[in-house]
Amino acid sequence: YEVEEGYIDVLLSKNKAFEESIKYEWMIELKYIKEKDKNSLEEVKKQGLEQLKRYSSSNKLSSSYNMNNMKELLIIVVGKKVIEWNLIE
């Protein structure tokens, strides 16, 4: 999904047919770090959280979606073994 500040990796939005039974919509940022670069995890996490913050303040997104019902999730995969996630409330 394109916004002024870039592209949201995954945007899960309500289907009008099921709108009453769906409480939240999701904005998801995905990051991958090679195993050998795992020491950069904190920097990648910081960048991902900053991206989500920029996207959530987008005029295009806020004019199309109820931001009170939008959850933000950062998922970082390190190599093939480690998955870190951060849910922003």
Side-chain angles (χ1 to χ4, degrees):
Y1 188 83
E2 183 178 6
V3 293
E4 298 91 346
E5 297 294 327
Y7 292 89
I8 299 170
D9 288 339
V10 179
L11 182 65
L12 302 175
S13 60
K14 292 181 181 180
N15 181 321
K16 296 289 183 191
F18 304 102
E19 190 168 12
E20 292 180 12
S21 62
I22 299 172
K23 187 170 182 178
Y24 299 109
E25 297 178 291
W26 290 85
M27 180 178 9
I28 304 171
E29 182 65 26
L30 304 169
K31 298 289 185 190
Y32 175 78
I33 303 172
K34 292 180 181 179
E35 181 86 25
K36 66 179 181 170
D37 298 328
K38 64 183 174 186
N39 59 342
S40 66
L41 176 64
E42 288 305 314
E43 181 60 31
V44 171
K45 180 179 175 180
K46 181 181 172 187
Q47 290 172 359
L49 293 172
E50 287 173 358
Q51 280 181 274
L52 284 170
K53 186 176 180 179
R54 284 195 316 268
Y55 298 157
S56 66
S57 65
S58 158
N59 290 328
K60 181 178 179 182
L61 192 67
S62 61
S63 67
S64 301
Y65 296 94
N66 180 351
M67 297 308 289
N68 294 326
N69 295 333
M70 182 70 68
K71 296 289 185 177
E72 301 170 27
L73 179 64
L74 171 62
I75 299 173
I76 303 172
V77 178
V78 182
K80 296 179 182 179
K81 300 176 184 174
V82 179
I83 298 176
E84 176 166 320
W85 58 276
N86 295 274
L87 177 61
I88 301 167
E89 300 280 342

